[in-house]
Amino acid sequence: MRRFIDILASIAVLLLFGLPCAVIWGAVSLLFGRNFLTCRKIFGKDCSEVKVCWFGMRNTFFSSLPLFFSLLKGDITLVGTSFYFCDEYSQGQLPKEITSLKPGIFNLWYVKKHTKIHHAEKTDIDLLQLSGRGLKKDLAIIIKYIPASLYKSDETSIKDTVTLLDVTFNNCTMNEALGFIQNGVENSNKGMYFFINPDCLNKTFTDKYYFDILRSADYVFPDGVGINIGSKMTGQTLKQNVNGTDMFPLLCSMCQQRGYSMYFLGAKPGIAARMVSILREEYTSLKIAGYRDGYFQKDGETESVIEAVNKTGAQVLLVAFGVPVQEKWIYENRSRLSPPVVMGVGGLFDFYSGNIRRAPGWLRDLGGEWIYRLIQEPGRMWRRYILGNPVFLHRVRKWKKQLDKG
Ligand code: UDP
């Protein structure tokens, strides 16, 4: 069945787009001395070496058309595992489950990579795709390519920081972000770790104090698809979407493994407690130093809260009061708080305790997590997303224009 679909799809695409494109690009490459094709070797089924080619033009849908010739030949399949280039990987690095199948023109790795949520190893994402493989799941991957291609950005010039609307943040992978946290704990460096999304950047326009705090933070991580789009609009390439919700399980694993103790401060009464009981089941040897809700008098009771946190000897403190209350509280009390790592995490505890549900994986792959939040809390979120997203994009465009003018 799959082979039949592959043949049908390859003939249709080659006749409709491949041939006309080959003629036009052939003429252009002859006239302007450009490469007609760029070819590389990848591992095919059972680790056989397979040559695949692209048109030597800028990376677009059209440049991938020669892949449909390999599809017709049967070297690759329409939806399969990702491409492993022979000059980048050795056979031994690839699990048998992956090499027993053909690589696919469409694959989950591409989707996650361009939506910037490729927080796991390429092989793990392939294995995830292969679990429960079926035609329905394959079709979903093809559909996800549409937004993923829009998010795709130039991979050749990636810098360590990205600046949007005058706020500079770390351009790092999730693993690198965890490395910063690990260094902070190991070296007992007192640091402030924040996340920003388009709503946060919008808030900096009306809240100069918050803007200054973000600019003085030790680490600021990019959260959400909006920051990816903003980066792309301004010619900057984001490495990964380093959001708190995806980071949290990885952070807990790291803390458990390294014996770092965690304190959870914030959310409504009962929420942190519920989250802690879930954590105790999932991370049985995680050191939980303590927890408390975030509904205390920020003026009158802060001293006793700080004292309680410090007494536990916690090394990683997560503060969940929402933006920008948590950033201001952390900034004002950072010197008196003992944990080396203090991080503002917004609504994280609500998600992890099950108080608010997180968007399903397929919607996250499409970059639509915010739509799910909007549906869950329309009264509170419409301003943030329906108004906030276009305002953010408009501001980014205006900001970029001003920068270009110098
Ligand atoms: N919150 C808190 N103390 C306060 C105000 C809010 O602990 O004084 C909590 C609130 O219960 C919620 C979180 O802060 O759990 C804010 O969540 P939201 O999703 O609004 O975070 P944001 O999107 O602003 O990061």
Side-chain angles (χ1 to χ4, degrees):
M1 178 69 169
R2 273 179 198 280
R3 185 67 195 128
F4 176 68
I5 294 173
D6 285 355
I7 293 172
L8 220 63
S10 55
I11 291 175
V13 172
L14 286 173
L15 287 179
L16 272 175
F17 303 104
L19 278 180
C21 203
V23 171
I24 297 168
W25 181 244
V28 171
S29 54
L30 264 181
L31 279 173
F32 298 98
R34 303 275 303 272
N35 278 345
F36 179 63
L37 287 177
T38 310
C39 299
R40 286 183 80 178
K41 277 187 185 156
I42 60 168
F43 287 113
K45 192 167 187 268
D46 300 326
C47 281
S48 55
E49 287 194 5
V50 167
K51 192 162 122 184
V52 284
C53 298
W54 292 262
F55 284 135
M57 58 178 71
R58 247 188 69 218
N59 210 343
T60 59
F61 161 74
F62 296 104
S63 64
S64 305
L65 289 170
L67 294 179
F68 285 84
F69 186 66
S70 305
L71 180 67
L72 185 63
K73 270 173 67 193
D75 288 342
I76 57 178
T77 182
L78 196 61
V79 183
T81 54
S82 55
F83 286 7
Y84 293 91
F85 295 105
C86 299
D87 52 9
E88 285 177 6
Y89 286 84
S90 65
Q91 288 187 19
Q93 285 174 283
L94 307 181
K96 242 193 144 46
E97 296 94 315
I98 291 177
T99 53
S100 64
L101 296 165
K102 287 182 192 170
I105 295 180
F106 295 94
N107 54 73
L108 189 61
W109 168 254
Y110 178 99
V111 172
K112 295 221 182 249
K113 184 167 186 261
H114 294 297
T115 321
K116 311 287 178 189
I117 49 174
H118 51 308
H119 300 138
E121 292 296 326
K122 191 171 169 175
T123 45
D124 290 335
I125 290 179
D126 272 334
L127 292 173
L128 177 72
Q129 178 187 335
L130 296 180
S131 62
R133 189 174 182 226
L135 288 181
K136 224 168 98 185
K137 213 172 161 187
D138 285 1
L139 184 65
I141 289 176
I142 297 178
I143 293 169
K144 286 174 190 173
Y145 256 64
I146 300 164
S149 310
L150 300 177
Y151 301 140
K152 192 175 170 193
S153 42
D154 176 19
E155 299 278 317
T156 52
S157 58
I158 303 182
K159 304 216 168 84
D160 287 342
T161 57
V162 164
T163 305
L164 276 184
L165 305 176
D166 298 323
V167 175
T168 299
F169 50 90
N170 296 84
N171 191 19
C172 57
T173 63
M174 188 63 90
N175 271 341
E176 287 165 349
L178 289 167
F180 297 145
I181 296 170
Q182 186 186 323
N183 277 342
V185 176
E186 296 291 340
N187 302 320
S188 298
N189 273 344
K190 279 192 177 185
M192 295 189 287
Y193 298 69
F194 299 139
F195 295 90
I196 48 154
N197 57 32
D199 179 53
C200 301
L201 289 180
N202 278 340
K203 282 181 174 138
T204 62
F205 277 73
T206 49
D207 192 337
K208 171 87 170 50
Y209 183 33
Y210 172 52
F211 174 71
D212 290 338
I213 290 174
L214 278 183
R215 283 164 62 101
S216 70
D218 301 280
Y219 296 96
V220 178
F221 300 127
D223 171 357
V225 67
I227 299 289
N228 184 24
I229 295 173
S231 307
K232 189 178 166 176
M233 280 169 69
T234 53
Q236 305 174 93
T237 300
L238 200 68
K239 271 194 197 168
Q240 270 185 17
N241 171 345
V242 183
N243 65 80
T245 328
D246 282 336
M247 180 191 277
F248 188 56
L250 303 170
L251 178 64
C252 290
S253 288
M254 181 177 87
C255 289
Q256 169 168 267
Q257 211 179 356
R258 302 196 153 263
Y260 304 156
S261 58
M262 302 179 85
Y263 194 107
F264 306 103
L265 175 64
K268 294 205 174 97
I271 300 289
R274 202 186 312 156
M275 182 179 79
V276 162
S277 69
I278 295 171
L279 287 176
R280 284 199 170 120
E281 274 180 31
E282 269 181 58
Y283 304 90
T284 44
S285 52
L286 176 66
K287 286 186 189 163
I288 297 176
Y291 60 89
R292 73 151 291 166
D293 65 81
Y295 288 80
F296 57 88
Q297 290 294 322
K298 303 287 181 301
D299 296 333
E301 288 176 87
T302 285
E303 284 315 313
S304 62
V305 170
I306 292 176
E307 207 176 300
V309 171
N310 288 349
K311 236 189 209 162
T312 64
Q315 289 155 300
V316 176
L317 168 64
L318 303 191
V319 182
F321 302 157
V323 173
V325 181
Q326 64 201 18
E327 283 76 8
K328 291 178 184 175
W329 190 86
I330 292 172
Y331 175 75
E332 285 159 13
N333 301 299
R334 177 57 281 205
S335 61
R336 284 172 303 145
L337 284 161
S338 302
V341 172
V342 181
M343 185 179 267
V345 293
L348 176 78
F349 300 175
D350 293 307
F351 284 120
Y352 210 78
S353 63
N355 193 35
I356 294 179
R357 264 179 306 145
R358 206 180 169 197
W362 64 266
L363 192 55
R364 298 209 298 264
D365 286 345
L366 293 173
E369 184 149 24
W370 62 274
I371 300 171
Y372 198 77
R373 270 210 96 181
L374 177 66
I375 293 168
Q376 280 191 308
E377 289 182 90
R380 197 162 79 91
M381 293 298 165
W382 76 271
R383 190 178 284 277
R384 185 181 291 190
Y385 296 126
I386 305 273
L387 276 185
N389 286 351
V391 166
F392 169 72
L393 296 178
H394 172 70
R395 282 174 169 158
V396 170
R397 215 179 40 201
K398 213 166 119 191
W399 178 78
K400 171 73 173 145
K401 260 193 194 161
Q402 273 165 1
L403 272 191
D404 290 344
K405 268 192 210 154

